[in-house]
Amino acid sequence: MFKKILIANRGEIACRIIRTARAMGIQTVAVHSDIDRNAQHVQLADEAISLGGMTAQESYLQADKIIAACQQTGAEAVHPGYGFLSEQAAFATALGQNNIAFIGPPANAIAAMGDKIESKKLAKAAGVSTVPGHVGVIETAAEAVKIANDIGYPVMIKASAGGGGKGMRIAHSAEDVETGYATAMREAASSFGDDRVFIEKFITSPRHIEIQILADQHGNCIHLNERECSIQRRNQKVIEEAPSPFLDETTRQAMGEEAIRLAMAVDYHSAGTVEFIVDADRNFYFLEMNTRLQVEHPVTELITGLDLVEEMIRVAAGETLRHQQSDIGINGWAMESRLYAEDPYRNFMPAIGRLSLYRPPEEKHHDDGSLTRNDTGVAEGDTISIYYDPMIAKLCSWAVDRSAAIGRMRVALDDFVMRGIGHNIPFLSAVMEHQRFLSGDISTAFIDEEYKDGFQGVAPSPDRMRDLGLIIAAAAHKDAQRQSSSPGQDWAIQFVTDDPAQMADANLRCSFHLCQQDTALTADISPYADTAAGTTDAISIEIHQSADTPRVAASITDHKDDKTRHYICQLHKNKDSWQIYYRGTHLAAHARPPHIASLAHYMKPVIAPDRSNMLLCPMPGNLVKIMVADGDVVEAGQTLCIVEAMKMENALVAEKRCRIDSIEAKAGDILSVDAVIMRFADANA
Ligand code: ADP
Ligand code: ADP
Ligand code: MG
């Protein structure tokens, strides 16, 4: 076995690999860019070597520097993680030439599978079913249109070198093909340095189901069952689970056998994933093979009990697989939520910033037998920059069945406190309560279909709204107790909304009974009205607030039926205004003594400044191109500029006909969110 290995990656995956290596008694070497010099993976490793630079290109993609780091530290092998150099055949070859083992597949398998056109040809030859389409490079837009017409719409234009959901466009018509062909090519050239694209049939509303395989250098290959990754936005996975709620044993076996057949065809060894899309009739089609450890590998580990990183290291050291196909079962159910730095309310635009608070839930086996796991590479105070992947953590749950795993995930998400940066926890929580997700009737179109106008947060049921109002009342009451020796007992909770009539019904009057300053309170509650009136209910509420985070745990008991409901939510206070966040619902309310609340309508509302005459950058990113000049008159829908953020080129378009008054930024600028790009004037002025 190796004595020392180098991890050519950063973030959660570098940390995860270091942990397994350490458990195996192997020394670890981290590498890092300049801005990552204090990153978690650097602190966790036994040694660290600086690669310099900021961008991936300047740092983690510097193969020569990584090889030099191995030589300098005596590392005998390199684990590449995912992304970066993990799927670069030349890197694996160069390591071999320097007598350093690559903890991954052989270079020729990477090369064969790294190219979508070549791998599709290979899969076909190996008898693996592939998506119908044209398996070859497309040279011109005219050829693209002709092929798309032959295949039949919709079609997907894909970069042959693509990955990470980049460089692909759906086309429903010949016009779509012409524009999609150009953008896919441009994205492919800038992301992969290779602008070859091909076209295949777009399978409508398929499920993404992939097979994990594991092979050694002695001709043994097994599969570790499937993962379902159908919950995607922009063709990128957000929630994964194992097993799939859709597969029957026959389909599972057939997919497993095809995956193994494909791996054997390229003399594969190490861990790898064969991705399929599966239609409503359980026909499955090969998409691509990822010749590396996959982001979502933890869900497979949770249902099989294997440590994939350990298996990869053993295979690279020449060991024979320790398991046969018949040893591999499916134990329980696992879910993974990818926590991203992004704004779910603004079409999942990437976000950047500093994690001013970062308190993940405790990783542990719970009393009910379920489990919480959190793979992360950041700590409180760290910054998520535009330079690398915006994934913050992979939160996983395991339990005996799917619904219990979802239940555990909900609580783990409730428990996650993160401030200082936009993140997608509200969205993940919303999906974990979404009826269609719970039923298992999902597809890759789930997000587009269920959140047609984008994610707007979850509208709470009246009962939930009442409970959240009560939690605010109890928190306000305790807050007042802390500040005054004789606080009032009565509170009016008035929700703040754009449409006051809409939520007025939910407003509450809450009268606490005299009590000591402890966590359990009892109160009478009634709908809010200027004069105390209406029905009164008696409740008890117990709340526990964390001293240094916005986390609040509350239990509310209705005396009527003696039922208790439990909540873990997050609460922020600003003067007498409170914000409460719970499972995708965000509510704001004022908590005031009733005599003050009754005067509230005299207060002037705050009016936001008008910024409709400016184009603001919707996300942090790189301004790639400006398509207009000062004085131009533009039409509604016309592209004004292109901003590239992390994984996508985003075209910013004019909302209405207008004249460009001034341009405030230039191509190449790195812009922060809401930076002014240009100003507009009336088209006729
Ligand atoms: P997975 O199925 O493992 O999630 P993805 O395709 O989503 O695979 O990519 C995994 C990671 O690797 C992501 O962080 C993505 O940004 C990165 N990645 C994938 N392909 C490339 C590539 N060709 N160049 C750079 N990064 C890539
Ligand atoms: P990447 O290398 O970027 O991961 P994939 O080929 O694996 O590219 O595709 C990523 C996602 O795009 C898939 O999981 C699926 O949701 C969608 N997709 C890709 N090809 C098709 C297709 N032919 N029909 C329908 N959806 C597709
Ligand atoms: Mg893929």
Side-chain angles (χ1 to χ4, degrees), residues 126-129 209-215 220-227 244 247-265 268 272-276 278 282-286 289 325 328 330:
V128 174
S129 53
I209 301 177
E210 57 189 33
I211 302 287
Q212 174 72 52
I213 62 115
L214 188 61
N220 304 303
C221 181
I222 60 175
H223 74 82
L224 306 181
N225 299 307
E226 79 280 6
R227 292 183 286 259
S244 159
L247 285 199
D248 51 56
E249 197 46 47
T250 315
T251 317
R252 173 174 297 128
Q253 238 180 47
M255 291 174 74
E257 277 162 20
E258 288 202 8
I260 290 175
R261 206 180 308 146
L262 180 63
M264 301 285 250
Y268 200 86
T273 297
V274 181
E275 297 189 328
F276 294 95
V278 183
R282 292 197 177 79
N283 297 310
F284 56 88
Y285 307 97
F286 167 74
M289 180 167 186
Q325 192 63 57
I328 306 299
I330 298 178

Side-chain angles (χ1 to χ4, degrees), residues 373-616:
R373 166 173 169 175
N374 185 45
D375 286 30
T376 189
V378 294
E380 197 161 286
D382 284 357
T383 296
I384 309 286
S385 72
I386 65 159
Y387 294 106
Y388 316 112
D389 196 277
M391 196 170 71
I392 303 168
K394 302 185 316 207
L395 184 61
C396 294
S397 67
W398 178 92
V400 285
D401 59 25
R402 186 168 190 264
S403 100
I406 291 173
R408 175 51 60 201
M409 178 61 78
R410 285 185 194 145
V411 176
L413 288 165
D414 292 345
D415 244 331
F416 215 117
V417 179
M418 198 160 24
R419 297 271 292 158
I421 193 163
H423 59 73
N424 63 341
I425 290 179
F427 175 75
L428 296 166
S429 293
V431 175
M432 291 296 155
E433 288 200 314
H434 195 293
Q435 216 39 57
R436 181 171 157 202
F437 180 73
L438 302 189
S439 76
D441 169 26
I442 52 179
S443 83
T444 57
F446 177 87
I447 293 179
D448 288 339
E449 286 170 4
E450 299 301 320
Y451 303 95
K452 283 198 184 68
D453 304 317
F455 176 65
Q456 318 272 317
V458 176
S461 68
D463 284 351
R464 185 170 281 182
M465 191 144 169
R466 187 197 74 153
D467 283 354
L468 297 180
L470 276 173
I471 294 170
I472 292 176
H477 187 59
K478 287 184 61 183
D479 204 49
Q481 283 181 326
R482 275 191 290 270
Q483 292 180 28
S484 141
S485 53
S486 56
Q489 302 293 312
D490 291 336
W491 295 90
I493 304 301
Q494 293 173 300
F495 288 100
V496 181
T497 145
D498 293 340
D499 176 6
Q502 178 209 336
M503 283 212 231
D505 287 350
N507 291 347
L508 281 178
R509 183 186 283 265
C510 190
S511 178
F512 289 96
H513 302 169
L514 270 178
C515 59
Q516 295 305 311
Q517 191 170 328
D518 60 5
T519 56
L521 304 168
T522 51
D524 291 322
I525 59 166
S526 56
Y528 176 78
D530 277 349
T531 53
T535 51
T536 302
D537 294 322
I539 58 113
S540 299
I541 178 167
E542 192 170 322
I543 71 168
H544 297 269
Q545 288 169 278
S546 316
D548 57 347
T549 80
R551 183 183 181 283
V552 174
S555 305
I556 299 175
T557 307
D558 266 311
H559 290 191
K560 257 200 316 244
D561 53 9
D562 244 8
K563 288 223 171 81
T564 302
R565 292 175 301 281
H566 302 280
Y567 295 87
I568 298 171
C569 51
Q570 295 182 32
L571 198 58
H572 300 274
K573 183 195 174 208
N574 181 10
K575 300 207 180 91
D576 63 0
S577 162
W578 296 75
Q579 313 273 333
I580 192 161
Y581 298 82
Y582 181 70
R583 297 213 175 152
T585 295
H586 167 203
L587 294 170
H590 292 291
R592 299 169 174 141
H595 67 280
I596 296 178
S598 65
L599 303 174
H601 58 274
Y602 293 115
M603 285 183 225
K604 256 202 204 140
V606 180
I607 294 167
D610 178 15
R611 299 203 285 185
S612 63
N613 63 341
M614 302 173 209
L615 177 70
L616 305 179

Side-chain angles (χ1 to χ4, degrees), residues 116 131 156 158 162-166 168 200-206 208 229-230 232 235-237 275-277 287-288 290 292 444:
K116 287 192 162 77
V131 184
M156 196 149 197
K158 276 186 167 180
K166 245 179 174 178
M168 55 174 76
E200 64 187 20
K201 179 91 189 148
F202 178 73
I203 311 288
T204 310
S205 299
H208 175 119
C229 320
S230 295
Q232 308 185 342
N235 302 312
Q236 292 164 10
K237 302 159 185 169
E275 297 189 328
F276 294 95
I277 43 179
L287 264 186
E288 63 162 344
N290 291 329
R292 55 171 160 85
T444 57

